[in-house]
Amino acid sequence: MEKILSFISDFSLARSFNAFLSDSFELFTISKVNEAEQLLSAGNISLIILDLSKESGVEHDYFDILCERKVMEKVPVAAIIGKSDVEKEIKLLSAGCSEIFYTPFDSIILRKRVQNLVKINSLTSNVTNYEKQLITDPLTGLLNKAGFISFVRKILRLKQPGAFIMCDMDGLKYINDNYSHQVGDEMIVKVADCLFATMPDDAFVAHISGDEFCIYLNNISSKEQIAELCARFQKMVLLKALLPDLARPVTTSIGISLFPDTGTTFDILQNKADHAMVYVKNHGKNSYKFHAARDDREEVLKGRQECTNMSLEFMLKPREDEDIQTWLRFGEFRIVFLTYQRYTKDKLVAHYCLLNILDKKNADNPDSKKIVSINDKITNYIKDSLLPGIFSWYSINQLLILSTRKETIPQGIERLRKELAEELESLQLEIVLENVD
């Protein structure tokens, strides 16, 4: 049964409405603003009826509240004004009233008008919901690609400064292959939630494809402000989007283009932001970058060629602002290693081994909490040590290490054992080195 909220303080008038409508509708007759607000906030109200026959009063105050909050855009409002008053009717209709009732009432006409209002509201709501579904991504609740393109193209016509942001999840295929597509979808939703939480209320945020998101920030030109938003989002992703075994973090790569500096059309802004994002993908991931000329597709491919022609020996040395360990951590080791070996002219002999963290108490079913507590310390030790090498966690308790000098691996691990001896003993964990090539 449809719900009608009637704000009528006059007892006899309220009783008449109940007599005329209670057999067809669920009628809530109230006389206080807080009661009306509670019922309205609960939702599913099909019509609001206000008694505005007096010159002033609490009903007039509530009408002003409805106008201010633009409630009449969602719920139809009918006003009771007593006798016909053209000037007053024009004012109410201009403010958004859907219908005006006069006293005294004819019960049949009153019921029919109310039925029509409720029916129109239901049809309007269905159309609105259908339109919303057409532009909404069902997985994340964000805009879909069609909705995003439509809204952004309209905004661009206003010629206001803005930022087009392309955001790509790093390693979604790895997550799908190693944890299941259900977990992959959960990570997509968490990234979407982080975007919704960190981006401004007036931003257009969309889920474009499996691992790809787009954001448009309107009326913004400060690079510092845009960078702050991106950094805040990426930090939240690291904290909130956690895989079940915590074996690796979920990260994102972001490219940014600016309107009108970078381009003035949707397609140009999207392409430039995409090129900047690809550059981030090829230079460490988990970062953001504003578009520059070198980020265009030809420059990206050229930059990729330049990188892969570097010798592996040079790649293993720490470089300012571009730490190779950042590139290769969290599952990228195998891909990058093969790429560099392929493009390196003078092949270098590279030695690698597996470092396993074993649970002495239960080797077959290790305690993941204990493993997590020690693998961060192992990571930091290797990063801070002077050992020339690359490392990557294969799983929560298995580390792959690559070095051009075979003897440094066992020597370094022995020093690692001594450094972490107390922690390993208290946790009853053991470090085992195998497959030294």
Side-chain angles (χ1 to χ4, degrees):
M1 186 176 288
E2 303 290 349
K3 297 179 181 179
I4 296 177
L5 170 63
S6 64
F7 201 132
I8 305 173
S9 57
D10 183 272
F11 179 75
S12 60
L13 188 60
R15 186 173 59 182
S16 298
F17 258 84
N18 275 317
F20 295 149
L21 301 175
S22 59
D23 60 335
S24 302
F25 304 96
E26 188 175 358
L27 201 64
F28 298 91
T29 304
I30 46 86
S31 59
K32 296 180 180 179
V33 172
N34 62 339
E35 295 175 353
E37 290 293 276
Q38 290 175 4
L39 288 169
L40 195 59
S41 62
N44 298 323
I45 298 296
S46 300
L47 176 65
I48 301 173
I49 300 175
L50 293 175
D51 178 16
L52 303 179
S53 57
K54 300 175 183 178
E55 291 301 321
S56 62
V58 67
E59 292 91 345
H60 284 273
D61 294 337
Y62 191 56
F63 181 77
D64 292 338
I65 292 174
L66 295 178
C67 291
E68 182 182 343
R69 297 182 182 176
K70 299 181 179 180
V71 174
M72 285 178 276
E73 295 179 2
K74 301 177 182 178
V75 182
V77 174
I80 304 169
I81 65 169
K83 296 180 179 181
S84 178
D85 184 333
V86 175
E87 185 178 346
K88 192 172 185 178
E89 290 178 44
I90 292 174
K91 182 178 179 181
L92 291 172
L93 292 172
S94 299
C97 269
S98 300
E99 183 62 277
I100 295 175
F101 298 139
Y102 311 106
T103 54
F105 306 108
D106 181 285
S107 60
I108 296 176
I109 294 176
L110 175 65
R111 186 181 292 109
K112 188 61 180 175
R113 285 185 173 181
V114 169
Q115 288 174 344
N116 288 341
L117 284 171
V118 170
K119 185 177 181 179
I120 291 171
N121 177 62
S122 177
L123 292 173
T124 303
S125 298
N126 290 338
V127 171
T128 302
N129 291 334
Y130 179 69
E131 290 176 343
K132 187 176 180 180
Q133 289 176 8
L134 289 176
I135 62 172
T136 302
D137 173 57
L139 177 62
T140 64
L142 302 177
L143 288 172
N144 60 19
K145 185 175 182 179
F148 181 76
I149 293 174
S150 176
F151 283 123
V152 173
R153 281 183 171 160
K154 290 178 182 177
I155 286 295
L156 292 178
R157 296 187 195 128
L158 300 178
K159 305 297 182 182
Q160 296 174 336
F164 194 112
I165 301 173
M166 295 282 291
C167 172
D168 198 78
M169 292 175 61
D170 299 326
L172 180 61
K173 184 179 185 304
Y174 174 90
I175 296 172
N176 288 335
D177 292 347
N178 290 275
Y179 296 90
S180 78
H181 283 77
Q182 180 180 352
V183 174
D185 286 348
E186 290 173 3
M187 294 304 106
I188 292 172
V189 172
K190 287 182 179 180
V191 170
D193 291 342
C194 292
L195 277 173
F196 186 80
T198 54
M199 293 297 155
D201 293 338
D202 60 351
F204 296 102
V205 185
H207 179 219
I208 301 300
S209 64
D211 59 356
E212 189 176 352
F213 298 84
C214 280
I215 306 96
Y216 190 81
L217 306 176
N218 188 41
N219 201 19
I220 187 171
S221 57
S222 169
K223 282 190 173 183
E224 291 76 13
Q225 188 177 353
I226 298 168
E228 182 181 349
L229 288 170
C230 293
R232 190 191 310 163
F233 158 69
Q234 290 184 315
K235 183 177 181 181
M236 182 176 285
V237 170
L238 288 171
L239 295 174
K240 301 293 184 181
L242 302 175
L243 291 170
D245 59 2
L246 304 178
R248 58 180 281 172
V250 175
T251 61
T252 56
S253 298
I254 291 176
I256 308 161
S257 59
L258 300 175
F259 178 91
D261 297 349
T262 311
T264 56
T265 68
F266 181 93
D267 292 336
I268 292 176
L269 289 169
Q270 183 182 36
N271 288 337
K272 300 298 185 182
D274 182 53
H275 294 174
M277 183 188 71
V278 171
Y279 185 92
V280 174
K281 281 281 194 183
N282 291 315
H283 292 78
K285 304 184 179 182
N286 192 30
S287 187
Y288 59 87
K289 188 180 187 303
F290 290 88
H291 175 270
R294 67 178 297 185
D295 302 328
D296 289 331
R297 186 65 62 185
E298 295 79 12
E299 292 296 322
V300 169
L301 296 176
K302 181 182 176 183
R304 203 181 281 173
Q305 180 81 16
E306 290 172 352
C307 289
T308 51
N309 280 333
M310 294 179 185
S311 68
L312 184 61
E313 184 177 21
F314 176 74
M315 296 300 298
L316 293 172
K317 295 178 181 178
R319 288 179 291 152
E320 186 178 358
D321 298 327
E322 208 169 330
D323 186 355
I324 188 62
Q325 292 176 349
T326 304
W327 286 43
L328 305 183
R329 206 173 308 147
F330 309 126
E332 300 300 322
F333 179 91
R334 286 166 290 183
I335 298 171
V336 177
F337 174 55
L338 291 174
T339 301
Y340 286 117
Q341 286 292 77
R342 176 182 176 186
Y343 283 98
T344 302
K345 295 178 181 178
D346 301 323
K347 302 292 184 181
L348 296 177
V349 177
H351 306 279
Y352 60 90
C353 71
L354 291 173
L355 174 67
N356 295 302
I357 306 174
L358 304 181
D359 190 342
K360 294 180 181 179
K361 201 170 183 180
N362 191 350
D364 295 329
N365 186 23
D367 187 336
S368 60
K369 291 184 178 178
K370 293 198 302 183
I371 301 292
V372 169
S373 67
I374 201 69
N375 64 12
D376 284 342
K377 294 185 178 181
I378 293 175
T379 298
N380 292 331
Y381 175 83
I382 296 177
K383 281 170 56 180
D384 297 336
S385 69
L386 298 178
L387 299 175
I390 304 171
F391 69 98
S392 173
W393 287 99
Y394 263 16
S395 64
I396 197 170
N397 65 332
Q398 191 173 59
L399 183 75
L400 178 64
I401 305 173
L402 169 71
S403 177
T404 55
R405 293 163 54 190
K406 184 175 182 178
E407 66 277 7
T408 61
I409 297 177
Q411 291 174 2
I413 298 307
E414 188 58 36
R415 290 202 297 271
L416 173 63
R417 284 198 186 97
K418 293 179 180 178
E419 181 77 18
L420 302 177
E422 293 184 7
E423 288 91 340
L424 291 170
E425 183 63 30
S426 63
L427 296 172
Q428 291 188 297
L429 297 175
E430 182 181 4
I431 292 178
V432 176
L433 192 64
E434 62 174 327
N435 297 335
V436 179
D437 183 28

